[in-house]
Structures are given as structure tokens and as C-alpha cells.
Amino acid sequence: MSQNPRSITILGATGSIGQSTLDVLARHPEHFHLYAVSANTQVEKMEKICRQYRPKVAVMSDRASATRLRQVLKDEKGNESLGGEERGHHNARGAGVAIEEGGGGRAGGGRAPPCAGR
């Protein structure tokens, strides 16, 4: 891994744009670290993403899906799963990518979501 890999947040990680972005991350792990991901209801895809990339935050906009994701990832350490009402302002519609850089600059999907700033 490079000295300062960029932290990435992917909104809509289970969709086509999110999957394409994950492919780029897999090919360049020395440049990028997946910090947070979000999806709506596709728990199986999110489980695979969380186990492979180990993001710090996983957000499911559907509360029941978030509960299921927590259950399947209960053996994983270091993940925070949010869903339903507890996700608060973490919810976003559509797909996007935010790159968080050390100086607070943003590229890709514009402003990073609040969960990426933690």
C-alpha cells in the first residue's frame, strides 16, 4: 500500500457504477482504501464487499437489510453497519463516488457524505 492511499466512499456499491469502482480499487490497492459503502437492499452483495474490502462503515438504507447485514457480519471486527432511521443523514439516492484526500479536498462524486468525514 502506498504511503497515503486515498479513502473512498461508494454510494450505491451494489449497482453497476459501484461495482465498476470496486473493480478499480481491487486493481489498485496501493492507491485506494475503501472507507464506506452504501446500498439499499442487496445484503449478499454487501456482505461480499465488506468481507473483501473491509470498509469501516456500511450503510443499508433499508432497515431490515441492515439488520440482516449485521447478522451475517457479526464475526467481522471494525465494521459499523447503519440502516433505517439510525443512518440519519447518511442516506443518499443513486450512485456516486467520493474520494477523501488528506487536505479535505474532494474529487469524483463531489462532497463526501458525512460518514466519510468521521
Side-chain angles (χ1 to χ4, degrees):
M1 202 175 260
S2 73
Q3 198 168 342
N4 294 311
R6 292 181 175 177
S7 292
I8 305 293
T9 295
I10 301 176
L11 308 177
T14 59
S16 62
I17 294 171
Q19 293 291 292
S20 294
T21 303
L22 288 167
D23 181 56
V24 171
L25 269 63
R27 288 185 280 127
H28 302 284
E30 69 281 3
H31 297 293
F32 304 107
H33 166 73
L34 186 60
Y35 179 82
V37 290
S38 75
N40 187 23
T41 59
Q42 295 188 41
V43 175
E44 293 79 19
K45 279 189 175 183
M46 280 291 276
E47 176 187 7
K48 182 178 176 183
I49 291 166
C50 289
R51 291 192 188 278
Q52 180 176 351
Y53 296 94
R54 304 187 55 82
K56 182 161 178 66
V57 178
V59 178
M60 301 292 293
S61 59
D62 177 69
R63 175 180 252 177
S65 296
T67 300
R68 285 185 28 230
L69 184 64
R70 270 194 211 97
Q71 287 299 312
V72 298
L73 293 176
K74 65 184 173 194
D75 59 325
E76 292 287 321
K77 301 285 188 232
N79 287 89
E80 176 185 3
S81 299
L82 303 173
E85 295 169 5
E86 70 185 355
R87 76 188 184 284
H89 57 276
H90 297 277
N91 186 29
R93 296 271 182 221
V97 178
I99 301 174
E100 181 177 321
E101 300 183 45
R106 303 286 188 260
R111 263 186 71 217
C115 61
R118 282 193 197 175

